[in-house]
Amino acid sequence: MSTHINAPDGAIAESVLLPGDPLRAKFIAETFLENPVCYNQVRGMYGYTGTYKGKKVSVQGTGMGQPSLSIYVTELFKFYNVQKAVRVGTCGAIQKDIALRDVLLANAACSDSGLNTMRFNGLHFAPVADFSLLKEADSQAEKLGLNRKVGLCVSSDMFYDDKANWKLWAEYGALGVEMEAAELYTLAAKFKRKALAILTVSDHIVLGGETSAEERQTSFTNMIKLALETVTSPAV
């Protein structure tokens, strides 16, 4: 057992989906996994393991923001031998050619966080996705008929950005803003694991508009299917 995950050895699969919201972790487990077992409830951050099409898969809530995700992903990699970690979350679009409910496959992540500034003593690390996961997710999205784009995301520490820094990120080609992918990719590099962020566009920062609760649920379901098909594929 680790400090924040109350799971015995062998309780967590090598492939893990990472929603920020622990209640979404519960929803994923109960909706998509066969025979799900809850292995963690510490601080209400639910974790479950079950099977998807006969293959063992876990789902672990990470909380909001990079510091929170960093705790859970570090423990999953360091103490539970997780090999493939896929973030499943939402983002705000910052390009006009992206629509609500589109799926973004983040090939890399910019960030305004101080985590890597401290970690690399002022040097600039480039957090990137695992190519095999990225390639397979794109292939599976094609099979599922999902509108998706592959490109750069921004992992921001600020949800309410009074300075509208998204405009600068957009100028340099970023597709959407979220809060966790950069730290996930950095930790995957450190521990030599595979990681990918799959994001559903829940609101449009440039054009305005947001999905309803019902629409977000439908889009979320599509994203989860994509993530599960990706991590259980023999190609990765």
Side-chain angles (χ1 to χ4, degrees):
M1 298 180 184
S2 62
T3 303
H4 302 89
I5 301 176
N6 190 28
D9 288 344
I12 302 177
E14 290 190 353
S15 297
V16 179
L17 270 57
L18 302 171
D21 186 348
L23 293 180
R24 282 183 173 176
K26 185 174 187 290
F27 168 79
I28 293 169
E30 294 177 347
T31 305
F32 293 95
L33 301 184
E34 297 178 356
N35 303 313
V37 174
C38 181
Y39 63 75
N40 188 64
Q41 297 186 59
V42 177
R43 293 176 175 261
M45 200 60 69
Y46 295 117
Y48 295 83
T49 296
T51 58
Y52 180 78
K53 295 185 176 180
K55 296 185 178 180
K56 189 176 178 181
V57 179
S58 295
V59 53
Q60 174 65 55
T62 65
M64 290 187 289
Q66 294 181 79
S68 182
L69 175 136
S70 187
I71 291 170
Y72 292 97
V73 171
T74 295
E75 294 184 15
L76 289 171
F77 286 163
K78 187 174 182 179
F79 301 110
Y80 295 101
N81 198 37
V82 168
Q83 298 296 312
K84 292 181 285 187
V86 177
R87 164 162 158 69
V88 283
T90 58
C91 69
I94 56 175
Q95 297 293 342
K96 293 181 180 179
D97 62 345
I98 298 174
L100 293 177
R101 297 177 293 278
D102 280 355
V103 171
L104 302 187
L105 305 178
N107 60 5
C110 303
S111 183
D112 57 20
S113 175
L115 287 175
N116 275 351
T117 301
M118 291 186 289
R119 183 179 278 129
F120 293 99
N121 296 318
L123 300 177
H124 299 284
F125 179 75
V128 299
D130 174 75
F131 181 72
S132 65
L133 282 176
L134 178 64
K135 182 180 179 181
E136 185 61 22
D138 188 59
S139 176
Q140 293 293 340
E142 179 72 24
K143 293 178 183 178
L144 293 170
L146 301 182
N147 292 326
R148 85 281 185 195
K149 292 186 183 295
V150 178
L152 190 64
C153 78
V154 177
S155 300
S156 178
D157 278 355
M158 293 186 294
F159 185 85
Y160 298 106
D161 180 7
D162 294 336
K163 295 183 179 180
N165 287 327
W166 64 265
K167 293 181 180 179
L168 181 59
W169 296 120
E171 182 180 346
Y172 282 81
L175 304 181
V177 179
E178 52 89 68
M179 299 186 74
E180 287 88 16
E183 180 67 1
L184 172 61
Y185 291 175
T186 301
L187 290 172
K190 176 182 178 180
F191 288 96
K192 297 178 174 57
R193 308 300 163 85
K194 296 180 177 182
L196 176 66
I198 301 177
L199 309 166
T200 298
V201 176
S202 60
D203 60 284
H204 210 298
I205 298 174
V206 181
L207 302 177
E210 61 183 15
T211 56
S212 67
E214 182 178 357
E215 287 173 326
R216 285 195 297 272
Q217 189 66 60
T218 301
S219 299
F220 181 74
T221 298
N222 290 334
M223 177 176 56
I224 296 307
K225 289 179 181 177
L226 173 58
L228 287 168
E229 292 293 335
T230 298
V231 297
T232 58
S233 170
V236 297

